[in-house]
Structures are given as structure tokens and as C-alpha cells.
């Protein structure tokens, strides 16, 4: 631990000596079920490194969970507390984390059914949940996510933490439109709504309106960050927008269909940023966009959203830390100066 802390301090001092200092960014955290552990690793490394400070955070589904854990830690104790809160949450969410049987089963469905390809086991579970609604197979409306969130997050502390903008997306079931909840309005119910996959959990009612997973309409929401301040946006992306191959196997087709469905809102927001010249933030300042992407692990992750053991989460955590380190090594000097994500290429048909 002391070695880790000294490494972060050393990097920060090196940055200050080079005149680079601490640079501010907005974080946009995509949802991705169990693969949200990759985002945990990214955040863990960025917090340890210390050269980036966060002006705002947005998230959908698992990205929303990571966002509120991060915000809670920063509000209550700073970067080290945020690292601790994230680690404790993912340990508790893992198989063997101490959840009672019914809560464990429900949480496993949340992780397993987030869009992915998958094993025959997952295809069977998918088929069953399409024949039965959560109102049938979960008559007690068990939602383990709520108990975990309420255990770890002090929402009052987050609401009073004015140094950080926070946005969480959900989808209004009746209108089909995106709803973005701001820091002042975020509760455990809002986070539950953002992660409420329709085949797994009942719609979450907030102020008389039912909501489903935010990944359908804002995965993650970026434009609210751009509107709130002129700092760079760093997207932590789990599901790729582009694939080189055309799927032919049934489960690969299902996987790609789900990826497209849950990536369409991100594509639309990136296209909007590109359309206005890579974005225009507050006061007309140009918005620089960067990305850390989960990639290069397709074979190891095939069907892996069914995995909820801590060893798997730790694998993704390490991958996230490596990806964050590579991003900082290559692009720290670009933060605040230019985009490193080519929006024209990213949004090309």
C-alpha cells in the first residue's frame, strides 16, 4: 500500500515539475454488467495516479453504480476513500461476497443478462426470462442492488458535494425517452432504475413514472457533462461501436444485436459532438474527447458476463488499470489541449 501511494505521489510530483500539473476531466462511464469491473480498474488507477481531477461524472447501469461509488468516496474522504469504496463494493457484489441466496441469484441475473454473446447456459437463461417476466419469477421484487447501494453510498453526502457534477441516466418506460438525473436528485432508487434491465427487474417508479435501464437511451449520457463545464470528456467504454467481422453463429448474432442496441445512444451523442465541430462547451469552448476502451480480451471474455466470482472481477480490474496507465502514458499531455478520439472516424457509417 505504501509503495502504491508513493508511486502516485511520485508521478504527481513529476507532472508538477514538468509544468503539466493536475488536469481536470469529466468521466463518462458506460454500462456493461459484470464488465463494469473493468471501469473499477480504470478508476482505481486514475485515482492512484493523481494527475487527473474530476469535474463531473455520468453513468448508466453498471456505469451509474461505479459513478455513485466514486462520488461517495470523493465526497467523504477523497481519492483513497473512493478507491476503498469501489473495491469494497465489487468484493461484496462477487460470488462469495456474503449476499443471501435470493439476492445472490437476482444479482447474477443482472450481470449475466447484460448484452453479450454467451454460453449455452446464458442462452437458456435468456430464453427463460423472455418467457417469464420479473413480475412472475421475482414476485417479492427482490433487488440486491438496492441493499448494496444503500450499504455503501451516503446520498446526502453526494448531494452536498458541490465540487462534482453527477448525472445518471434512465429510460422512461412510457415515453421511451432518456431521463438524466442530476446530483441533487440521485437516490438509491435512481441508481436502481438506471440498472433495471426489463427482463430481470421490475420497472422502478420515481415520482410516478416507471423507469428501465439507462443503457437504452444514454449509455452513458455525455451531453449533460458538456453543458455543465468546458473540461475534457474521458469516456470509459465497455462495448465497442465497431466490429471487423460479421457474426454468423446464433449466439454471436445475439451478442452483436445487443451491442448495437446498447451502443446506439452513445453513437448518437458522439455524432452530435462531431456535428458541432467536436462539441462546443460552456462559453463556446471546444470540447476535447478521449476514450479508454475494453479491448483485446474477446476470447477471455467470451460468455463471461455470467461470471461473478471475484477472480474474474479482479482480472477485469487489472485490465482496467493497464488500460488507464496506457492512456495516461500516451495522452496525458493531450488533456486540455486536443481530442484523442477521432469522432469523424468513430461515427462514420
Amino acid at each position: 500500500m505504501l509503495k502504491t501511494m508513493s508511486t502516485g505521489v511520485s508521478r504527481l510530483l513529476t507532472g508538477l515539475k514538468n509544468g503539466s500539473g493536475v488536469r481536470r476531466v469529466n468521466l463518462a462511464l458506460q454500462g456493461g454488467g459484470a464488465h463494469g469491473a473493468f471501469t473499477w480498474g480504470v478508476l482505481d488507477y486514475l485515482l492512484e495516479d493523481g494527475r487527473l481531477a474530476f469535474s463531473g461524472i455520468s453513468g448508466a447501469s453498471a456505469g451509474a453504480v461505479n459513478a455513485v461509488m466514486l462520488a461517495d468516496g470523493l465526497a467523504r474522504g477523497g481519492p483513497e476513500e473512493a478507491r476503498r469504496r469501489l473495491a469494497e463494493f465489487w468484493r461484496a457484489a462477487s460470488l462469495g461476497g456474503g449476499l443471501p441466496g435470493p439476492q445472490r441469484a437476482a444479482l447474477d441475473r443482472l450481470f449475466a443478462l447484460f448484452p453479450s454473446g454467451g454460453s449455452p447456459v446464458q442462452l437458456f437463461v435468456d430464453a427463460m426470462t423472455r418467457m417469464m417476466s420479473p413480475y412472475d419469477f421475482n414476485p417479492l421484487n427482490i433487488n440486491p442492488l438496492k441493499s448494496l447501494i444503500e450499504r455503501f453510498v451516503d446520498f446526502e453526502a453526494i448531494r452536498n458535494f458541490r465540487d462534482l457534477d453527477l448525472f445518471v441516466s434512465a429510460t422512461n418506460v412510457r415515453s421511451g425517452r432518456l431521463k438524466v438525473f442530476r446530483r441533487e436528485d440521485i437516490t438509491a432508487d435512481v441508481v436502481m432504475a438506471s440498472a433495471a434491465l426489463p427482463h430481470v427487474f421490475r420497472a422502478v417508479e420515481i415520482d410516478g413514472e416507471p423507469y428501465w435501464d439507462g443503457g437504452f437511451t444514454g449509455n452513458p449520457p455525455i451531453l449533460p457533462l458538456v453543458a455543465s463545464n468546458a473540461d475534457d470528456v474521458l469516456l470509459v467504454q465497455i462495448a465497442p461501436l465497431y466490429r471487423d467481422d460479421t457474426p454468423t453463429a446464433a449466439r454471436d448474432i445475439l451478442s452483436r444485436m445487443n451491442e448495437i442496441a446498447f451502443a446506439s445512444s452513445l453513437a448518437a451523442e458522439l455524432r452530435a459532438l462531431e456535428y458541432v465541430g467536436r462539441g462546443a462547451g460552456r462559453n463556446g469552448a471546444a470540447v476535447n474527447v478521449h476514450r479508454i476502451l475494453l479491448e483485446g480480451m474477446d476470447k477471455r471474455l467470451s460468455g463471461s458476463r455470467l461470471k461473478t466470482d471475484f477472480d474474474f472481477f479482479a482480472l477485469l480490474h487489472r485490465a482496467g488499470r493497464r488500460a488507464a496507465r496506457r492512456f495516461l502514458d500516451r495522452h496525458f499531455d493531450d488533456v486540455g489541449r486536443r481530442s484523442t478520439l477521432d469522432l469523424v472516424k468513430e461515427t462514420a457509417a
Side-chain angles (χ1 to χ4, degrees):
M1 176 61 73
L2 289 176
K3 181 179 179 181
T4 298
M5 292 177 64
S6 63
T7 300
V9 171
S10 175
R11 286 177 179 145
L12 177 57
L13 291 175
T14 299
L16 292 172
K17 288 178 183 178
N18 293 337
S20 53
V22 176
R23 300 187 181 182
R24 302 192 69 83
V25 299
N26 293 295
L27 292 173
L29 310 180
Q30 193 176 51
H35 291 181
F38 170 82
T39 301
W40 163 36
V42 170
L43 299 177
D44 186 54
Y45 189 85
L46 296 180
L47 290 164
E48 176 190 317
D49 182 89
R51 285 180 288 170
L52 295 182
F54 311 131
S55 301
I57 313 169
S58 71
S61 199
V65 175
N66 278 318
V68 297
M69 295 296 162
L70 173 58
D72 175 79
L74 292 175
R76 293 208 270 176
E80 286 304 312
E81 179 65 15
R83 295 182 67 199
R84 186 177 71 84
R85 306 300 287 182
L86 284 159
E88 288 182 351
F89 169 81
W90 283 97
R91 170 68 73 176
S94 69
L95 184 65
L99 285 176
Q103 292 190 12
R104 175 77 263 155
L107 194 64
D108 285 347
R109 288 194 189 100
L110 170 64
F111 285 150
L113 288 174
F114 202 88
S116 66
S119 66
V121 175
Q122 180 180 345
L123 294 177
F124 171 76
V125 174
D126 283 349
M128 289 301 296
T129 54
R130 279 164 174 73
M131 292 178 359
M132 298 178 64
S133 89
Y135 297 83
D136 298 323
F137 66 72
N138 187 9
L140 299 179
N141 198 22
I142 295 171
N143 194 319
L145 192 57
K146 184 173 184 179
S147 62
L148 277 178
I149 291 169
E150 290 177 337
R151 186 201 313 179
F152 285 102
V153 179
D154 182 345
F155 286 97
E156 187 65 26
I158 290 177
R159 286 190 286 271
N160 292 329
F161 190 49
R162 301 180 184 277
D163 292 339
L164 185 73
D165 294 319
L166 181 63
F167 305 96
V168 167
S169 65
T171 302
N172 187 299
V173 178
R174 294 193 179 108
S175 70
R177 294 176 180 171
L178 169 67
K179 170 69 175 181
V180 177
F181 294 89
R182 302 177 65 88
R183 187 194 73 243
E184 297 85 353
D185 303 317
I186 294 173
T187 63
D189 283 340
V190 167
V191 181
M192 285 169 51
S194 185
L197 286 166
H199 293 299
V200 184
F201 298 121
R202 299 182 184 186
V204 178
E205 189 168 297
I206 301 172
D207 296 331
E209 291 291 331
Y211 292 96
W212 278 337
D213 196 295
F216 289 112
T217 50
N219 192 21
I222 297 177
L223 297 180
L225 294 169
V226 173
S228 66
N229 63 73
D231 292 322
D232 289 22
V233 173
L234 173 56
L235 168 67
V236 182
Q237 185 178 342
I238 293 173
L241 293 174
Y242 182 84
R243 290 285 191 185
D244 290 323
D245 57 330
T246 300
T248 55
R251 66 181 184 182
D252 294 335
I253 292 171
L254 176 63
S255 172
R256 187 56 182 152
M257 287 170 55
N258 285 328
E259 280 183 345
I260 291 171
F262 275 76
S264 60
S265 62
L266 173 60
E269 294 215 34
L270 294 180
R271 193 173 298 112
L273 290 176
E274 188 275 328
Y275 181 75
V276 294
R278 301 196 180 210
R282 191 174 57 189
N283 300 324
V287 175
N288 299 319
V289 184
H290 314 276
R291 177 175 65 185
I292 296 175
L293 175 65
L294 173 59
E295 58 183 342
M297 297 182 67
D298 285 357
K299 291 183 179 179
R300 303 181 74 179
L301 298 181
S302 177
S304 59
R305 286 184 178 89
L306 275 173
K307 298 181 181 179
T308 57
D309 58 278
F310 189 75
D311 287 344
F312 176 66
F313 289 168
L315 170 69
L316 284 165
H317 173 263
R318 291 192 295 273
R321 285 181 57 85
R322 288 194 299 270
R325 183 179 66 247
R326 286 195 300 269
F327 171 79
L328 289 175
D329 287 347
R330 296 171 182 173
H331 298 304
F332 175 72
D333 289 339
D334 296 315
V335 175
R337 297 177 180 173
R338 69 180 187 91
S339 287
T340 56
L341 178 61
D342 188 338
L343 294 179
V344 174
K345 179 180 179 180
E346 195 67 22
T347 59

